Amino acid sequence: MMETPQNQFMREAIRLSVENVKSGNGGPFAAVIVKDNKIIARGTNRVTTTNDPTAHAEVVAIREACKELNAFQLEDCEIYTSCEPCPMCLGAIYWARPKKIYFANTREDAAHIGFDDSFIYDEIGLDFTKRSIDTEHILRDEALEAFQAWKAKTDKIEY
């Protein structure tokens, strides 16, 4: 039986995740981004080595792919991630707009080794007044100026 390209790309993400753990460079997560059946970017978790809580594998890979393509969206791309994306990464993936996501480990698998994102998934659905981090809504009328300027702008680049 022939190996599918999807399995080959996922195996690369898995290989990178294992390598990341063994090298001590970060958590057990990796991602690759594919366009036209070719890997155009790779990312591994770099949270602890860069002191950047947003340096998750998917975000790192998205940043690299966007540089490679000189674009802010990943049209016609696929992302292969060694684990089901966390809420932050899922948001980044949706903003990047790839055509498909493949993942290997589940969020439950991640929770079993100490990466439990269920709290964040729950928080997102709450009204901001009920979230665990104190959040206060201020200066909306002043902030609306930027939104009004954006709405009126005729030469904006939509995204």
Side-chain angles (χ1 to χ4, degrees), residues 36-51:
D36 299 327
N37 244 13
K38 178 181 175 246
I39 295 175
I40 61 165
R42 291 170 171 81
T44 56
N45 180 281
R46 298 280 181 220
V47 170
T48 57
T49 54
T50 61
N51 292 320

Side-chain angles (χ1 to χ4, degrees), residues 6-61:
Q6 292 83 7
N7 286 353
Q8 290 175 342
F9 297 136
M10 184 58 77
R11 282 199 176 91
E12 175 63 1
I14 293 167
R15 182 191 71 74
L16 289 168
S17 70
V18 172
E19 182 180 284
N20 206 49
V21 172
K22 290 180 178 178
S23 70
N25 286 327
F29 306 100
V32 298
I33 296 179
V34 173
K35 183 171 179 141
D36 299 327
N37 244 13
K38 178 181 175 246
I39 295 175
I40 61 165
R42 291 170 171 81
T44 56
N45 180 281
R46 298 280 181 220
V47 170
T48 57
T49 54
T50 61
N51 292 320
D52 179 354
T54 68
H56 288 203
E58 297 91 335
V59 173
V60 171

Side-chain angles (χ1 to χ4, degrees), residues 19-138:
E19 182 180 284
N20 206 49
V21 172
K22 290 180 178 178
S23 70
N25 286 327
F29 306 100
V32 298
I33 296 179
V34 173
K35 183 171 179 141
D36 299 327
N37 244 13
K38 178 181 175 246
I39 295 175
I40 61 165
R42 291 170 171 81
T44 56
N45 180 281
R46 298 280 181 220
V47 170
T48 57
T49 54
T50 61
N51 292 320
D52 179 354
T54 68
H56 288 203
E58 297 91 335
V59 173
V60 171
I62 288 168
R63 290 173 180 162
E64 290 302 314
C66 288
K67 281 184 204 170
E68 177 68 24
L69 296 174
N70 195 30
F72 54 82
Q73 292 182 343
L74 300 177
E75 293 176 12
D76 298 320
C77 292
E78 299 169 336
I79 185 163
Y80 293 79
T81 180
S82 64
C83 186
E84 184 176 357
C86 76
M88 177 185 69
C89 291
L90 190 59
I93 290 167
Y94 270 86
W95 279 115
R97 295 182 174 94
K99 68 180 180 182
K100 191 158 185 176
I101 304 167
Y102 295 89
F103 70 91
N105 289 315
T106 66
R107 67 171 93 164
E108 292 81 13
D109 296 329
H112 283 117
I113 62 161
F115 295 94
D116 188 352
D117 296 324
S118 60
F119 170 74
I120 299 170
Y121 281 104
D122 294 343
E123 285 278 299
I124 288 171
L126 297 176
D127 183 82
F128 78 87
T129 61
K130 294 184 173 39
R131 292 183 182 149
S132 65
I133 296 177
D134 189 27
T135 306
E136 188 173 339
H137 184 200
I138 63 173

